[in-house]
Amino acid sequence: MGVVSEKLEAFGAKRVLDYLDGNPQENVPKVISWLRKFDKDHIYQNTYNMLDDIMKDPENNWNKLITSIYEDIDASVRRKLFENFIVNSAVIGIRRKSKLEQKYDCNLPWAILMDPTSACNLHCTGCWAAEYGNKLNLTYDELNNIVKQGKELGTFMYIFSGGEPLVRKDDIIRLCEEHSDCEFLAFTNGTLIDEKFADEMLRVKNFVPAISIEGYEEDTDFRRGKGTFQKVIRAMQILKEKKLPFGASLCYTRKNTEIIGSEEYFDFLIEQGCKFAWLFTYMPVGVDAVPELMATAEQRKFMYEQIRKFRETKPIFTMDFWNDGEYVNGCIAGGRCYLHINANGDIEPCAFIHYADSNIKEKTLLEAYQSPLFMAYRRNQPFNSNMLRPCPLLDNPGRLTQMVKKSGAHSTDLTHPEDVESLSQKCVETAKEWARVSAELWKNSPGRAYSELKQKREKELKAQIRAKVGKPE
């Protein structure tokens, strides 16, 4: 019955998507109304209310962003993007994930981040990925099997990192073809994007790059090597000309925060054609890490305030994976929303947490989600009542140490294994300073009340699931 219900929902959803081929001002509200019917747990009601308000105001910057997606993105690519996000991920995937989480009492991810290879054509200062070495690869069959297993559990979003994932261009395109019902994104340095690859993207329609850029030419080339910035700009030009969606991946450090967080820089990204920007703060992971690059508490506060201002003024979608904890109830790792599989097959709770007790070559995804390390994440999330301190490493360093040691997880760095206590120690002073600065931000956060309500509901749901499956608290 469940399969039949999903097929009926998918059929209805695709019919509704026909609306999105027309005037967005008239038809997006109709789609929002349809989506509300499937949100029986009221997970996205605030989002739908916000979208309704946005579409009523043509001067709203989010309205402008939606309009630009119609004007700037190829129509067939746009439809495939909507189909995979709205129908497969937001409707079918979320319903399937929710149902199975209650059955198995474990986290099931909305997205899987995986490394096709550890190889890279650059050697960036402070890059933790290089610690794996450059000869590790997941085979195409292993990558394909991850996607197959993931879809059974409700995951229709797959993200590539590395290494440089586009070293494996052909296999990535093959996966896009094989799983046209999934959306694929890649964190890429952008230097391997050329006309031929862009044409392949246009053909498969379900691949979106997030291009790493550290600021302007001086700052990008400082970390990524001379000439990298110009190659990135050329890649963005190619994608924009072919009407393909893409965004930027921004790592803010002590050296470049004021540049990346400036109004001029966001205007620059929008002018290049970026439709989204993923923001990360520098993490001192690996023996080659440069702790001196870690952003200060005041710089992180600056980014918190700037990004919230830009959401009211700039037509670009942004997500700051540390400072936006209030919107997602803290840490999203450990399979709660996503996880990371490295090029050796180790199943890690996060791209920045290089410890594991499972490997995809030895366990199924479901077995890994039920492993001691991932269950430790589930039992301990959120790691702080202040949702602006979500991370068990950067913001609450002792929490990661406890989980790794109790679960028996091991370092996945094959060349220089890093003791979790040594790693956590790098973050202690930074965590103390951020605790002080973020306390006032959290106290005055307009989203605090809603976040606390969501946190209460999530805690109650977990308790109900544990009682149902007969497990003690």
Side-chain angles (χ1 to χ4, degrees):
M1 183 62 187
V3 175
V4 173
S5 177
E6 282 187 355
K7 288 183 176 179
L8 287 172
E9 288 175 3
F11 177 76
K14 289 176 182 178
R15 292 293 299 272
V16 169
L17 286 179
D18 290 339
Y19 284 124
L20 292 179
D21 289 333
N23 185 332
Q25 313 302 328
E26 295 179 5
N27 294 330
V28 168
K30 296 177 183 177
V31 175
I32 295 170
S33 176
W34 176 84
L35 285 170
R36 286 181 187 275
K37 298 175 183 177
F38 292 96
D39 189 16
K40 293 181 172 59
D41 296 322
H42 304 290
I43 298 172
Y44 300 115
Q45 289 304 307
N46 275 24
T47 301
Y48 298 143
N49 293 339
M50 180 184 71
L51 285 170
D52 276 334
D53 292 338
I54 285 169
M55 297 314 297
K56 293 173 184 175
D57 180 8
E59 296 303 312
N60 184 287
N61 70 297
W62 292 99
N63 194 317
K64 292 178 181 178
L65 174 59
I66 292 171
T67 300
S68 77
I69 290 173
Y70 276 79
E71 294 174 347
D72 301 340
I73 305 302
D74 176 86
S76 61
V77 173
R78 184 181 68 240
R79 183 180 177 92
K80 175 57 72 174
L81 187 68
F82 287 161
E83 182 178 328
N84 287 345
F85 270 119
I86 296 175
V87 181
N88 299 332
S89 189
V91 176
I92 294 175
I94 292 295
R95 292 279 293 276
R96 189 181 297 177
K97 162 180 149 69
S98 178
K99 189 180 298 183
L100 293 174
E101 278 184 337
Q102 294 184 47
K103 178 179 179 180
Y104 294 114
D105 183 29
C106 64
N107 287 336
L108 296 178
W110 173 77
I112 291 177
L113 176 67
M114 54 188 180
D115 301 346
T117 181
S118 62
C120 186
N121 59 323
L122 299 180
H123 190 79
C124 303
T125 300
C127 177
W128 49 262
E131 292 304 309
Y132 292 125
N134 63 359
K135 296 180 180 178
L136 299 176
N137 292 280
L138 291 173
T139 67
Y140 173 81
D141 287 341
E142 287 168 341
L143 293 167
N144 187 41
N145 188 43
I146 290 169
V147 179
K148 285 182 176 179
Q149 288 188 57
K151 288 198 294 186
E152 289 294 320
L153 299 171
T155 306
F156 288 84
M157 180 74 187
Y158 295 87
I159 308 170
F160 301 112
S161 57
E164 169 48 51
L166 294 190
V167 169
R168 299 279 299 279
K169 285 181 183 180
D170 292 345
D171 283 335
I172 286 176
I173 291 297
R174 187 178 169 193
L175 281 171
C176 292
E177 290 177 309
E178 178 73 18
H179 302 282
S180 61
D181 55 348
C182 294
E183 197 64 30
F184 294 90
L185 183 143
F187 291 112
T188 170
N189 61 45
T191 62
L192 299 180
I193 294 175
D194 53 20
E195 295 270 356
K196 181 180 178 183
F197 184 68
D199 286 337
E200 286 292 271
M201 288 174 57
L202 198 56
R203 181 176 65 83
V204 296
K205 301 176 177 53
N206 58 338
F207 178 81
V208 180
I211 301 175
S212 298
I213 185 168
E214 306 294 330
Y216 296 110
E217 190 160 15
E218 179 183 352
D219 296 286
T220 297
D221 288 0
F222 166 77
R223 273 201 77 197
R224 300 184 176 274
K226 188 173 178 59
T228 301
F229 180 80
Q230 291 301 328
K231 291 178 181 177
V232 166
I233 297 304
R234 177 56 187 150
M236 289 183 174
Q237 289 173 346
I238 291 171
L239 297 171
K240 186 177 180 180
E241 289 167 1
K242 293 185 182 292
K243 305 191 79 170
L244 286 161
F246 67 93
S249 173
L250 310 174
C251 177
Y252 57 95
T253 69
R254 191 167 303 190
K255 179 179 171 60
N256 69 357
T257 294
E258 287 73 20
I259 293 172
I260 280 185
S262 69
E263 185 164 348
E264 293 77 12
Y265 189 66
F266 266 73
D267 288 340
F268 162 76
L269 293 176
I270 293 167
E271 183 181 352
Q272 301 311 306
C274 293
K275 298 302 179 190
F276 62 87
W278 303 147
L279 291 106
F280 306 86
T281 191
Y282 179 75
M283 296 284 280
V285 177
V287 294
D288 288 339
V290 184
E292 294 76 21
L293 282 177
M294 294 174 70
T296 66
E298 289 301 322
Q299 286 177 319
R300 187 164 164 183
K301 177 185 177 185
F302 168 77
M303 290 301 297
Y304 174 92
E305 292 170 341
Q306 288 294 92
I307 295 303
R308 278 153 182 74
K309 181 176 73 174
F310 294 158
R311 285 174 181 155
E312 300 295 324
T313 59
K314 307 291 181 187
I316 184 172
F317 181 83
T318 54
M319 179 67 75
D320 184 333
F321 285 86
W322 275 264
N323 286 342
D324 282 340
E326 64 185 301
Y327 302 124
V328 289
N329 279 357
C331 172
I332 64 172
R336 182 167 168 266
C337 292
Y338 101 110
L339 57 90
H340 177 237
I341 303 175
N342 70 22
N344 190 49
D346 298 308
I347 305 171
E348 302 167 338
C350 174
F352 300 95
I353 305 298
H354 297 170
Y355 300 91
D357 60 1
S358 304
N359 190 290
I360 196 64
K361 300 171 185 177
E362 300 165 354
K363 292 184 180 180
T364 65
L365 285 177
L366 183 57
E367 288 171 338
Y369 301 160
Q370 295 174 314
S371 73
L373 180 59
F374 277 73
M375 291 305 293
Y377 263 77
R378 179 171 173 83
R379 299 291 178 247
N380 284 280
Q381 288 166 325
F383 298 106
N384 200 297
S385 58
N386 179 346
M387 295 299 147
L388 300 181
R389 297 174 58 194
C391 183
L393 173 59
L394 184 65
D395 303 320
N396 308 278
R399 303 301 297 274
L400 177 65
T401 302
Q402 293 168 359
M403 291 190 297
V404 168
K405 289 188 174 298
K406 187 173 181 179
S407 67
H410 63 274
S411 172
T412 56
D413 190 316
L414 299 181
T415 55
H416 300 96
E418 188 169 24
D419 179 76
V420 67
E421 290 183 347
S422 299
L423 170 63
S424 297
Q425 192 61 38
K426 298 177 191 176
C427 300
V428 170
E429 290 305 315
T430 301
K432 285 181 180 177
E433 281 301 300
W434 180 241
R436 176 183 61 82
V437 172
S438 67
E440 192 68 18
L441 292 175
W442 180 238
K443 178 182 176 181
N444 298 312
S445 169
R448 179 179 175 179
Y450 178 65
S451 178
E452 290 176 344
L453 178 61
K454 283 185 67 178
Q455 183 181 342
K456 180 182 178 182
R457 287 177 176 172
E458 190 168 307
K459 185 177 181 180
E460 289 172 349
L461 178 60
K462 284 183 180 180
Q464 290 171 7
I465 293 171
R466 289 182 67 76
K468 185 177 179 181
V469 298
K471 292 182 181 179
E473 284 294 335

